[in-house]
Amino acid sequence: MDHQSAIMQMFYGRKGHCDKITCSEEYIAYMGEFVSTEQKFKEELEKYPDLAASYARVKSALENMYQEQANDYYAEGFKFGILLGMEIIEKK
């Protein structure tokens, strides 16, 4: 099998893995803004333990929500890719 095929690239870990996806410069800039702003926010929240605990729960729920969304999008993209491949093979 050709080592440049999508199947073999996935097998050898060159493609199809989250750690191989490069984030855009815009994403990195937004992440930097988020981290610096959140750090300042959390420092202020230390004065209010109840609010700090609520924020921790909100952030955890948001992170879990984004992870579920990423899983759903990845699975749907994978399914569509398989359907597209099947359609291409049927046309040959």
Side-chain angles (χ1 to χ4, degrees), residues 26-66:
E26 291 84 2
Y27 177 87
I28 292 169
Y30 286 130
M31 180 58 74
E33 180 181 349
F34 172 79
V35 169
S36 65
T37 304
E38 184 189 35
Q39 183 61 39
K40 292 173 190 169
F41 183 66
K42 286 170 77 174
E43 288 170 5
E44 289 297 315
L45 271 182
E46 289 177 5
K47 300 173 191 172
Y48 309 97
D50 289 345
L51 287 176
S54 291
Y55 176 71
R57 287 191 302 275
V58 165
K59 187 174 177 201
S60 178
L62 186 63
E63 289 170 350
N64 291 337
M65 182 183 71
Y66 284 145

Side-chain angles (χ1 to χ4, degrees), residues 45-91:
L45 271 182
E46 289 177 5
K47 300 173 191 172
Y48 309 97
D50 289 345
L51 287 176
S54 291
Y55 176 71
R57 287 191 302 275
V58 165
K59 187 174 177 201
S60 178
L62 186 63
E63 289 170 350
N64 291 337
M65 182 183 71
Y66 284 145
Q67 183 60 57
E68 288 301 315
Q69 181 184 44
N71 291 347
D72 292 342
Y73 280 36
Y74 181 84
E76 184 61 27
F78 197 87
K79 291 173 190 176
F80 182 74
I82 289 173
L83 290 173
L84 185 60
M86 290 171 55
E87 186 174 321
I88 291 168
I89 289 171
E90 288 175 0
K91 300 280 182 188

Side-chain angles (χ1 to χ4, degrees), residues 10-21:
M10 189 171 167
F11 177 73
Y12 286 112
R14 291 188 212 116
K15 296 276 185 181
H17 296 276
C18 292
D19 61 337
K20 299 292 182 186
I21 298 171

